[in-house]
Amino acid sequence: MPPPPAAEEPALDELTPPPPPVDWKEMMDDDLVTQIIEGRRRPGYTPDLPDQLTQDNVGALRPPPPEAFPGIEDQLPVPDRWRLIETLGVVKERWFDPYHQNVLKGDRAIDRSKVPWLPIKGDDWFFVANLVSDSVFEPRTFPIPNGVQTTERPGSLDVFGKNRSFVAAQTFIAGFALIKGSTAFKPPDVEYRLTLAYQANYVDVPERRVLDVRPSKASHRFDHFIGVQEAFIDKHLGNTSDRYDFYSIRLGIQPFQSDFRGFLFNDSQLGIRLFGNRDNNRFQYNLAAFWRLEKDTNSGLNDITQTPRSDFIFTGNLYRQDFPFVGLTSQVSVTYNMNREKNDIQIDHNGFPVRPALLGDLRGREYDVVYLGYSADGRIGRINLTASLYAALGEDRNSFFTSKPAEIRAGFAAAELSYDHDWMRFRLSGLYATGDGDPYNNTEGGFDAIFENPIFGGADTSYWIRQTIPFAGGGRVISISGRNGILNSLRSSKEEGQSNFNNPGTIFLGAGADFDLTPEFRLSTNLNHLWFENTSSLQVLRSEGSIPKDIGWDLSVATIWRPKATQNIVGRLSAAVLLPGKGFKDLFDNKQRDDAYLSILANVIVSF
C-alpha cells in the first residue's frame, strides 16, 4: 500500500503574523518614540516617572550579627595586616618613595624578624623618618653702624656705614621616631622622638665689629653648629571615652606654640607637658612647664652643651571648638614667665654681652610676669578669622631706667581677617602692642613676648619681621626688633636676651592677597604700615626731645612653587622693601640718606 503523501510545510510568511499597521501620529504621541534610538528623546518631552520605591522591612537594613555567620570562629586572624597590600601585588615598597606605603614613613609596622636587636614586643611598632634640607640665600640692606674703634674703610666718620650685606645658610634636619600603636584612630601608646639640626652659615657685612666684638676680625664669617631640636618621650596614659578622648604626658625637648600664630611663645624647649581632649575632641587642653635652653648665637638652634637658663615658663590652655560660633575655635590661656637671671652674665659666641642688656644702668634683671590670653582661629560664615589678646601683669625687680622695682602693665591685640573667592584670598591684619609712656615711673607699659615667631602679616616675607634692626646710639648691641619678630622690644637678642617691658610698643596695619594661580604656583603680596606706639623710651635712650612715631611702609611680594603639588619640594622667592617714615629716618639718618631698604629671600626646602 503506498505511503500517504507528505504534508506540505507552511510558508514562513504564514507562520509570522503580519505587523500591525503603523500609526506614526500615535507613536509621536507615545513614549515609544523615545525607544527608537537608545539614549535619545524628543526635545521638550518628559516621560512619566515610575512609582517611588519604599522599604518597609526596616530590619533588612541592619547588618547581621557575627553569630549569623557559621564557622567564623574557625577563621584565623592575620597578625601583619599592613603587608597584605604587598602580598596581593597592589604596590611594591621602595625606601626612597615617600608617596606610597613605606616602612620608613610609618605606613607599615616594623618587621621584627629583620631587626631582632631592637628591644620591642608586639606587632604594632612603627618607625618614622623625616629628612629636610633648607637652603637660604638672602641679600639685604639695613642700617649698619660703624665700629667704635675702627671701620672697614678708614675715613668713614658717619654713625652708619655701608648698608649692603648677605647671608647664606644651609640647614639639614633629621628626625626619627619610634611609635607603638596604630595612630589612624587613636593616639600612640608610646612615642620616642629625636630631631637633630645642622646648619652651616656664611655672612658678609661691610663694617667691622658687627659680626664679632673684636675689631681685628674680618667683616665676614663662616660658622656651623649642630642643635637638638626634639628629644622626648610621649606616653599615652589612658582613654576617657570609646571615641579615644585621651590624656598623655610628654617629657623632654619638644615644640610648643602658645597661640595659633606664635605671638607669645613658639619654640622647642626642655619641658614636661600633660595634654589631651574631651567630649569627642571638642575640648583640648595643655598643662606644661619649660626650662629654657641656651641658643647658639648664629644659628638659633638649641645648645645643650650649656647649662639651661634660669628662666622658667609655666602655661595652661584650653581649646573649645565651635565656640562661640560654628567653625571657630576659642582658646584661653594663662602663662607665667619666672626669670631668675639677675646674677647671670651671658656673652654670646661673637663676644657681645647679651645678659644683662647694655641699656640704662647695665645691671642684672629678674622678673615675674603673667600673660592672660584669649585667641580664636577659624571662620564666621565666609570670613576667616585669627585673633589674639594678651594682658601682661607682673613685676620687674630692676627697671634699668630707675634701678628700682616696677610693675608690669602691658597689653597686646592682633587680628587677621581674610576672605576666599575661588583661587584668591584677600587679607586685612592689624596689631597693637602698648609702649612705655614714662620710663622713670614705677610702671613698665611696653609689651614684650617670651619668644615670638609670628606667622602674621606676610611672616618672614615681610622686611620688618625678617630683618634685625639695630638700635645704634642709645644702647650697645641692642636691636629695635629681632629676626623673625614683629615687636619693637629693644632686646639684646631674641634667642639669648631677656624680655624688656621698657620699649616703644608697636602698631601694625596691613593688607595682602594670595593667588593660587595653579596647584603648584602661588603668588602672595603684602602691604604693611608700622608705627611706634610711644617713643618716650627711645627719646630718653637717644637723649632727644622728640622722635616721630612713623616707622614706614613695608611692601613685599613672594612666589611659592611646589613642582609636585606637595610639600616635599617647595621653592620660594620673595622681595621686600622698607620705605622709611619720619621716625625711622630720625633714628637712622646717615650721609647717604637711604630712601629704601631691600631684602631678597631665595629659599628651597626638600623633605622626605
Side-chain angles (χ1 to χ4, degrees), residues 422-439:
D422 201 357
W423 45 275
M424 299 174 288
R425 168 171 287 191
F426 303 96
R427 293 177 280 107
L428 292 176
S429 53
L431 180 147
Y432 181 87
T434 59
D436 189 30
D438 185 354

Side-chain angles (χ1 to χ4, degrees), residues 76-90:
L76 297 177
V78 179
D80 195 353
R81 59 191 182 277
W82 296 280
R83 287 177 174 80
L84 284 176
I85 190 171
E86 182 176 301
T87 305
L88 296 174
V90 177

Side-chain angles (χ1 to χ4, degrees), residues 146 149-160 207 591:
N146 278 332
Q149 291 85 358
T150 185
T151 66
E152 189 72 19
R153 294 166 304 283
S156 299
L157 301 177
D158 202 1
V159 176
F160 297 94
E207 296 294 340
K591 181 172 59 178

Side-chain angles (χ1 to χ4, degrees), residues 387-416:
S388 287
L389 301 171
Y390 282 106
L393 310 172
E395 182 183 28
D396 188 346
R397 301 285 192 276
N398 177 68
S399 175
F400 59 77
F401 281 114
T402 64
S403 301
K404 297 179 180 179
E407 294 182 339
I408 298 172
R409 298 290 185 270
F412 172 91
E416 181 178 277

Side-chain angles (χ1 to χ4, degrees), residues 570-589:
V570 179
R572 183 168 54 136
L573 180 63
S574 66
V577 58
L578 178 69
L579 304 177
K582 293 181 178 180
F584 194 94
K585 290 181 178 180
D586 186 285
L587 293 172
F588 302 109
D589 196 10

